[in-house]
Amino acid sequence: MALPLSRLPFEIAQEVRARKWLALLLFVAVSFGVLAAGFLWPYKYESETVIFIDDQNIIRPLMEGSAVATQINDTTSAAQELLWSRSILEKVVTDDEIYGEELVDGNREKFEARIADLRSNLTVVPRGDSYFAIVYQAGSPMKAFQIAQRMGQLFIEETNRRKRSESRNAYEFINNQVRSYENQLAAAETRLQAFLSENVDGTESAANSRLDSLRSQLELAQLEKSELQARQRSLEFELTRVDPTIRQGRTQDAYQTRISAMEEQLDTLRLKYHDTYPDIVILREQLQELRRQRTRELASRVPEAAPIGEESVSNPVFQDIQTELTATRANLQTINSRINSFQQLLADQAARMERIQEKRAQYLELTRDMEVNKEIYDDLLKRREKARVSMHLDVEGQGLNYRINEKAQFPLSASGPGFEIFAAAGLFLGIAAPFGLAAGLLQVDPRVRAREQLEETTDLPVLVELPKVRTPFEQRRDRKVSVVICVFAVAATLTYLAVSGAALIGVLE
């Protein structure tokens, strides 16, 4: 049966009034307990160092593409992992200026306890895109200040050292790779030179070029052979049509017959060749010479001389045709010999091509190795120069850089709830504790305390409610007890206020 809410304040007051001593003890216990918790509470003093990530300085756009800025710790989690590393923590835990005493060698438990304490109280908090804070909490404001300041200095020193170490290691690694590929490239060139010196057949492109040249020359020779064969047949046919000898009168004008025959031969040649043809040129010169001889003969001859007789003489046209035929046959033999030579050269070149094809795989492997090594070597040379510039940037403190934007400040007050909060809360909770306990007991008490509870349970109306009647003695006794309890409550309150005030002004610590 739940007590009606309208009756709850009255019943709480009745319960507290009925149990005055218990309420007083609860007030004293709760208030002084909270006050004692304020004295024993582990107050934390917090100090922080704000770090600025400087990655937008003027050097970066100027060296874009020529150098790579080292980026080690670009997130707060990475910065915290760096600060938690033993290399940094060991420098702090062995600092006698911070802990006031030098850590004796061999005291491993104390050493590890200090490291664990540093890790549990050290945090890194982001502050925007380019800032983060190194925060340390300690029970002593001086220790919080010293450790936060020392951690900021060690972080800057360690990041700069790691940047220089990373860029130097990168340069040395690339430089070693360059030297390695220099040796590999030299070895590949040596193997290729040895292969070319042992295989004098040359390359496939050179062999193909030589084959094409020989084929062109063979085709020209065969074409020339065809022309000579046609000329030979023509001369043989003309030779059958011309008489080997001619009969002529032995007169002083015997030159005329020869001139006529040569003119006939000249007309025949002009039908097939141009005037610049060598045979035509020779015949024209011979005709000119015969005409000159005839002119001299006619000038010295006796007038009206009669023919002396007739005789058989060689036909000069027949002789010329036969001479030309002999020359054509000789040229034909020469061109046949040339064709045979070209065919032999082609056969030799085909054999050379087969040898080149057999060595082609080895040649391609050698050239491929050299080209790959050359390409990698050239790329490594560029990267080595970039690594050199990057190393100089890190040595000079350029590129990505960290600097302390705000130094650690000495904490003047503890973080979290202070002693004054405990003092005020203790007094308030001490007063509220008896009433709160009474309210809780009333909610679980099964007894009937109000008429409404009984009517709700039995569905019957309550006709008469008898009030509680106390005797004069009981009233006097109750007043005495109330006065004593009020005196004790006032004394306890004054004591509480005195202790709290003394602690706040620094008399008690």
Side-chain angles (χ1 to χ4, degrees):
M1 293 179 293
L3 184 67
L5 294 178
S6 59
R7 295 281 301 176
L8 186 61
F10 176 77
E11 294 296 332
I12 291 175
Q14 291 295 326
E15 287 293 328
V16 173
R17 185 177 180 182
R19 295 173 176 83
K20 298 181 181 67
W21 287 108
L22 180 60
L24 176 62
L25 291 176
L26 188 60
F27 165 73
V28 174
V30 172
S31 58
F32 281 89
V34 174
L35 187 63
F39 281 104
L40 300 176
W41 181 261
Y43 296 102
K44 291 291 186 179
Y45 294 89
E46 183 178 287
S47 182
E48 64 180 19
T49 300
V50 180
I51 304 297
F52 172 61
I53 307 174
D54 184 12
D55 59 348
Q56 299 294 333
N57 54 36
I58 192 173
I59 295 296
R60 183 168 185 175
L62 292 177
M63 302 304 296
E64 189 74 27
S66 300
V68 179
T70 305
Q71 298 184 5
I72 300 177
N73 303 316
D74 53 358
T75 61
T76 55
S77 59
Q80 182 164 336
E81 291 298 327
L82 175 61
L83 292 172
W84 278 3
S85 63
R86 295 187 69 88
S87 61
I88 292 182
L89 295 180
E90 288 177 358
K91 296 178 182 179
V92 178
V93 299
T94 56
D95 193 342
D96 54 349
E97 294 182 358
I98 296 177
Y99 288 92
E101 59 177 347
E102 186 176 355
L103 192 64
V104 181
D105 295 338
N107 195 350
R108 196 66 185 176
E109 294 181 358
K110 193 171 185 180
F111 184 84
E112 294 297 332
R114 287 184 180 180
I115 289 182
D117 183 65
L118 286 174
R119 285 179 174 172
S120 61
N121 294 305
L122 180 67
T123 57
V124 178
V125 181
R127 297 288 179 83
D129 295 334
S130 301
Y131 296 87
F132 63 88
I134 301 174
V135 183
Y136 187 78
Q137 291 182 342
S140 170
M142 179 59 70
K143 184 177 292 186
F145 166 71
Q146 290 177 334
I147 293 179
Q149 186 180 43
R150 183 62 174 156
M151 281 294 182
Q153 296 172 353
L154 290 176
F155 176 79
I156 297 297
E157 294 174 0
E158 184 67 16
T159 52
N160 290 335
R161 185 192 67 80
R162 290 194 178 190
K163 282 170 55 181
R164 291 191 294 269
S165 176
E166 180 185 358
S167 59
R168 181 168 55 252
N169 293 337
Y171 173 76
E172 291 177 356
F173 172 76
I174 296 176
N175 189 43
N176 293 334
Q177 292 297 314
V178 168
R179 294 177 181 176
S180 174
Y181 274 93
E182 280 181 353
N183 298 331
Q184 295 182 22
L185 185 60
E189 291 177 349
T190 302
R191 290 194 299 268
L192 183 60
Q193 290 176 358
F195 175 81
L196 294 177
S197 62
E198 294 174 359
N199 299 273
V200 296
D201 291 328
T203 61
E204 184 179 1
S205 59
N208 286 327
S209 177
R210 179 61 176 164
L211 277 174
D212 293 339
S213 177
L214 289 175
R215 289 192 183 101
S216 299
Q217 294 179 10
L218 179 60
E219 290 175 357
L220 291 175
Q222 289 176 346
L223 182 61
E224 187 176 353
K225 178 182 177 181
S226 300
E227 293 177 353
L228 289 175
Q229 289 176 347
R231 183 176 181 183
Q232 179 184 1
R233 290 192 297 269
S234 176
L235 291 174
E236 289 175 351
F237 178 73
E238 292 293 334
L239 194 62
T240 57
R241 294 175 57 189
V242 178
D243 293 332
T245 60
I246 58 173
R247 298 184 64 84
Q248 64 179 7
R250 297 181 60 188
T251 62
Q252 296 177 355
D253 198 14
Y255 291 101
Q256 183 62 40
T257 303
R258 295 178 62 186
I259 291 172
S260 299
M262 293 181 72
E263 288 178 348
E264 182 179 355
Q265 184 180 358
L266 180 61
D267 293 337
T268 301
L269 290 175
R270 282 178 171 173
L271 294 175
K272 296 187 294 182
Y273 305 102
H274 295 286
D275 290 343
T276 58
Y277 190 71
D279 293 342
I280 295 177
V281 174
I282 293 172
L283 282 176
R284 292 175 64 182
E285 292 177 353
Q286 291 177 356
L287 282 172
Q288 292 177 0
E289 182 61 27
L290 286 175
R291 290 191 180 100
R292 285 195 296 270
Q293 292 179 3
R294 179 176 177 276
T295 302
R296 289 194 298 270
E297 182 65 23
L298 290 176
S300 60
R301 152 175 95 169
V302 180
E304 296 180 357
I308 301 174
E310 293 183 356
E311 63 179 0
S312 296
V313 296
S314 297
N315 191 346
V317 175
F318 182 83
Q319 292 178 353
D320 293 338
I321 293 175
Q322 192 173 20
T323 302
E324 184 68 22
L325 181 60
T326 302
T328 301
R329 288 173 178 172
N331 292 335
L332 188 58
Q333 291 179 358
T334 302
I335 202 66
N336 284 330
S337 177
R338 189 187 304 171
I339 289 174
N340 292 333
S341 299
F342 284 147
Q343 290 176 347
Q344 183 62 37
L345 289 174
L346 281 173
D348 295 341
Q349 199 65 26
R352 174 193 175 191
M353 179 61 73
E354 292 179 359
R355 293 193 300 270
I356 291 176
Q357 291 294 337
E358 293 175 358
K359 299 291 184 178
R360 183 172 181 270
Q362 184 178 358
Y363 175 77
L364 290 177
E365 182 178 359
L366 291 174
T367 54
R368 182 173 59 251
D369 291 343
M370 187 176 68
E371 291 174 356
V372 170
N373 290 331
K374 184 67 168 58
E375 182 178 356
I376 298 177
Y377 175 72
D378 293 338
D379 182 67
L380 285 174
L381 284 179
K382 297 178 182 178
R383 293 180 182 270
R384 185 178 66 176
E385 293 308 312
K386 290 184 178 181
R388 189 197 306 275
V389 177
S390 301
M391 182 176 63
H392 291 165
L393 283 177
D394 290 333
V395 170
E396 297 294 333
Q398 303 297 334
L400 177 64
N401 195 17
Y402 294 91
R403 59 183 176 86
I404 296 178
N405 186 69
E406 183 179 339
K407 296 181 180 180
Q409 301 295 323
F410 188 86
L412 300 178
S413 60
S415 60
F419 179 79
E420 62 277 4
I421 297 178
F422 281 94
L427 189 60
F428 173 77
L429 292 177
I431 296 173
F435 297 96
L437 180 61
L441 292 176
L442 289 175
Q443 294 299 322
V444 297
D445 190 3
R447 292 179 297 175
V448 177
R449 293 178 176 272
R451 184 179 61 184
E452 291 83 356
Q453 289 179 285
L454 186 61
E455 291 177 349
E456 182 181 356
T457 303
T458 60
D459 291 332
L460 297 174
V462 176
L463 300 177
V464 179
E465 180 180 0
L466 299 177
K468 184 178 179 181
V469 179
R470 293 187 299 172
T471 64
F473 174 76
E474 291 177 342
Q475 292 178 357
R476 290 193 301 271
R477 187 184 61 183
D478 186 62
R479 283 196 297 271
K480 292 179 181 180
V481 172
S482 298
V483 170
V484 172
I485 290 177
C486 289
V487 171
F488 278 107
V490 171
T493 303
L494 292 175
T495 304
Y496 183 91
L497 294 175
V499 173
S500 301
L504 289 174
I505 63 178
V507 176
L508 296 179
E509 293 185 359

